[in-house]
Amino acid sequence: MSEWRVVWVPDPERWGSLPPEGVLGVRDLPAAVDRIGLHAGDPVFLTPDCGVDPDLLNYVRSAEFQMLERESKRNYATDTRALLTFLSSRGVPWRKATRQDLRDYRHWRSRAPENPGRIGGAKWDREAAAFTKLFKWGKVDPLPVDVSRREDRAADSVSARVSWLTPRTWGLWSDVGLRGCDRAGAPSPEWESRTELRNTSFVQLLLSSGLRRQEGGALLTFEVPTQRLRHGRFVHGRIAGALTRAKRGRTFYASVDAVGQVEAYVVSERAWAVRRAQVAGRYDRLPMMRLITKVTHGLKPKVAWVDAHGVAGERELNLLDWRERQWLFLEGPDGPEPAWLWLTEQGLPMDPNRWNGVFRRANGRCEEVLLTPPEREVKRELRLAEVRGKTPYATPHSCRHSFALYMLVLLNELFESRYGLTREERRDFALLFGDPWWLVKTLLGHSDVETTKRHYLAPVTHLQLESILAAAETTHDGEDVENLDGVFARLARESEGIQDIDALLEAAG
């Protein structure tokens, strides 16, 4: 038996009821974990004989590991556990691992035909980064793997999560997957979803703003943008730096229609979930609650609160991460209610990662409606291309990729048709305000435009957009999406990875 395991330190409010006599001889386990220097979300590595490895415990407590974000800690620990299991099967302690051990492991993970779960280049690079951090901390010399070495990195490191859906295809995916419509677009009589408005509002917000899942999923009710731009079709808000990957706050823009859907959710589905939770006393039993007493404005707004023990606190809104935000409550007409925007049916804050399940269920319903029973029996990764092409498939990050593609096409169309700029005028405009690539990069919050081009807009980097968009009909107010449908259909035909409704209908026919 060589299997290593990992357990995770829970959040303070999720320890549950512990027996008075203690756990494994420890009377107050949360306090003991805190004394050791472990924090919520930290991994604890268990050896094959179920003992705690003290060496790896010190690694988890080290400054090098603690500097990682919580999601990175989980990813790195999961990757490291698999390597530890592999080394144990060979009887090799991790400090004695050699370059040959890591080459063999990489071969198994990435290339071995007998491995049914081989990984791609991007996943290997992440694993190599995790192993490099461990071996450097342990001062293993020579390093068995070093992500800075060219030979230890994958040549095919391209994210497999990149996907694009055209606006019409998002409409089909939402109608079938989130609203329960049938193939003809009519509501199915058996469909029942008590969170339909929440789910569709979230998707529309991400599609119109380009926010990441965690950024959009951790908004507070008073952070929903309300200030309209001069022409009234978009509103702008501020995303907290603690929610972004770069840890820098930025302005984001969302359509008035998307924000209107969010507001409709707040006064209907959300309000009903809050009231039921109040009646059931769910908020009274929460171990962590901070009742907001004041929210300041200005360049650095702050949130002041009082916790359940009457202790006052204050923190800059930009520095509140998504876990702290879940503890914030506002005094409503019928008692305290969460400041967190997106709630479960039980009226409790919905973790951002739970949106993955919403998208997964929507994808499953699209398959159920648009595929035949024999086609559904085959796993998605094993289906033929023409079968996969019959049904749209989306993830939360697909919203961000699709937003980037839509904005690039729209900005190019505006540059070419609406403004009627000459080549020289377009060059001058780009020098003053940036070209469409730069503007999309800014909207996404990227620091490098090459990231935008390489990972988000790869399908169109090889196309002559000027010639494509020159044929697009000049838009008028309110008609941008409709007149761009033909442009998106052409991009889908000539590019890999873009899902468009025309292709889906052809495949279905």
Side-chain angles (χ1 to χ4, degrees):
M1 186 69 177
S2 57
E3 186 76 21
W4 282 68
R5 293 176 176 82
V6 177
V7 296
W8 310 93
V9 178
D11 289 298
E13 71 274 18
R14 295 183 178 176
W15 278 95
S17 299
L18 299 175
E21 65 274 13
V23 178
L24 299 177
V26 180
R27 189 170 295 275
D28 189 347
L29 187 58
V33 168
D34 187 60
R35 285 194 300 270
I36 292 173
L38 294 174
H39 308 288
D42 283 348
V44 177
F45 291 92
L46 301 180
T47 62
D49 57 0
C50 294
V52 175
D53 187 283
D55 211 11
L56 292 173
L57 186 63
N58 288 332
Y59 168 61
V60 170
R61 297 162 56 205
S62 69
E64 293 89 338
F65 192 85
Q66 288 299 319
M67 288 297 290
L68 296 172
E69 290 296 318
R70 182 163 174 170
E71 185 175 357
S72 296
K73 289 180 180 180
R74 178 169 288 273
N75 292 335
Y76 277 32
T78 302
D79 296 340
T80 300
R81 184 201 67 81
L83 176 65
L84 293 171
T85 297
F86 174 82
L87 294 174
S88 289
S89 69
R90 292 187 161 194
V92 177
W94 68 267
R95 286 186 178 276
K96 299 295 183 181
T98 65
R99 294 197 67 180
Q100 186 60 51
D101 290 322
L102 269 294
R103 280 195 291 266
D104 293 343
Y105 181 70
R106 179 181 180 182
H107 175 78
W108 166 255
R109 292 287 284 157
S110 305
R111 305 186 187 97
E114 60 271 23
N115 180 4
R118 282 175 286 178
I119 61 175
K123 179 66 166 65
W124 169 254
D125 282 352
R126 192 190 81 181
E127 293 191 5
F131 306 153
T132 301
K133 183 175 288 291
L134 172 64
F135 290 129
K136 281 187 174 180
W137 173 85
K139 296 182 172 58
V140 178
D141 187 31
L143 282 175
V145 64
D146 186 351
V147 75
S148 65
R149 290 193 298 243
R150 189 173 189 178
E151 61 269 27
D152 287 342
R153 296 195 306 271
D156 60 338
S157 181
V158 178
S159 176
R161 299 189 305 157
V162 180
S163 62
W164 301 265
L165 283 73
T166 63
R168 294 184 302 171
T169 308
W170 274 112
L172 173 67
W173 183 86
S174 296
D175 286 343
V176 176
L178 300 179
R179 296 189 177 96
C181 295
D182 58 22
R183 184 187 292 266
S188 298
E190 74 278 4
W191 174 254
E192 180 181 355
S193 175
R194 292 179 293 273
T195 58
E196 178 181 316
L197 189 52
R198 182 199 67 186
N199 298 342
T200 53
S201 301
F202 179 79
V203 171
Q204 288 304 312
L205 179 65
L206 262 58
L207 276 174
S208 78
S209 64
L211 293 175
R212 295 182 177 90
R213 179 195 63 189
Q214 180 171 290
E215 294 169 347
L219 287 174
L220 303 176
T221 52
F222 53 81
E223 290 180 310
V224 177
T226 57
Q227 187 172 354
R228 294 196 178 198
L229 302 183
R230 185 173 59 182
H231 297 294
R233 294 187 60 189
F234 281 84
V235 292
H236 63 87
R238 189 76 180 167
I239 197 73
L243 302 178
T244 69
R245 285 187 178 176
K247 302 307 171 190
R248 293 193 301 270
R250 73 176 190 275
T251 299
F252 71 95
Y253 302 87
S255 71
V256 171
D257 290 342
V259 172
Q261 289 191 46
V262 174
E263 292 171 346
Y265 156 69
V266 170
V267 299
S268 56
E269 271 185 17
R270 187 184 187 279
W272 179 238
V274 167
R275 187 64 191 129
R276 284 186 298 170
Q278 290 171 334
V279 171
R282 293 192 183 100
Y283 301 146
D284 301 331
R285 299 191 294 269
L286 292 177
M288 295 292 292
M289 177 189 286
R290 293 173 174 176
L291 189 63
I292 294 176
T293 57
K294 184 180 180 181
V295 179
T296 66
H297 301 283
L299 294 177
K300 294 184 177 181
K302 293 184 178 180
V303 178
W305 65 76
V306 175
D307 68 15
H309 303 289
V311 179
E314 182 182 79
R315 190 163 175 79
E316 188 178 327
L317 184 61
N318 190 57
L319 302 178
L320 286 171
D321 66 22
W322 70 266
R323 289 162 199 85
E324 292 179 279
R325 288 164 167 260
Q326 290 189 335
W327 304 338
L328 296 177
F329 278 70
L330 295 164
E331 189 63 58
D334 298 303
E337 59 184 64
W340 187 271
L341 176 59
W342 309 105
L343 304 181
T344 65
E345 287 186 71
Q346 291 73 37
L348 300 174
M350 180 172 172
D351 285 1
N353 59 10
R354 289 189 61 181
W355 287 108
N356 292 343
V358 172
F359 277 72
R360 188 163 52 248
R361 288 189 293 274
N363 290 330
R365 170 154 179 82
C366 286
E367 293 182 354
E368 181 181 347
V369 172
L370 301 174
L371 297 182
T372 64
E375 289 171 340
R376 292 199 302 270
E377 290 178 0
V378 181
K379 292 184 178 180
R380 175 177 171 78
E381 57 271 19
L382 300 178
R383 291 173 188 157
L384 298 175
E386 55 266 29
V387 175
R388 289 200 303 269
K390 290 183 179 181
T391 176
Y393 181 87
T395 67
H397 219 60
S398 301
C399 298
R400 185 166 163 85
H401 290 123
S402 300
F403 164 82
L405 180 64
Y406 174 78
M407 291 306 299
L408 180 70
V409 172
L410 179 61
L411 288 169
N412 269 281
E413 196 280 335
L414 290 175
F415 271 47
E416 295 289 342
S417 302
R418 175 73 64 81
Y419 297 152
L421 302 179
T422 65
R423 185 182 299 273
E424 291 74 18
E425 289 171 337
R426 180 167 179 169
R427 181 195 61 198
D428 294 340
F429 189 95
L431 289 174
L432 286 172
F433 303 106
D435 64 11
W437 291 100
W438 187 88
L439 292 172
V440 173
K441 182 269 292 185
T442 303
L443 288 170
L444 292 172
H446 289 159
S447 58
D448 184 3
V449 71
E450 291 303 317
T451 300
T452 310
K453 291 181 178 181
R454 185 171 62 252
H455 295 295
Y456 282 73
L457 300 168
V460 295
T461 54
H462 67 291
L463 299 177
Q464 295 295 323
L465 278 174
E466 290 81 3
S467 62
I468 295 175
L469 296 169
E473 181 182 349
T474 302
T475 62
H476 302 284
D477 287 344
E479 296 181 358
D480 302 278
V481 174
E482 288 76 12
N483 285 337
L484 288 174
D485 284 341
V487 179
F488 280 112
R490 180 172 178 182
L491 285 176
R493 288 194 301 269
E494 299 184 9
S495 308
E496 182 180 354
I498 301 178
Q499 301 176 52
D500 183 63
I501 193 170
D502 283 352
L504 293 171
L505 292 176
E506 289 174 7

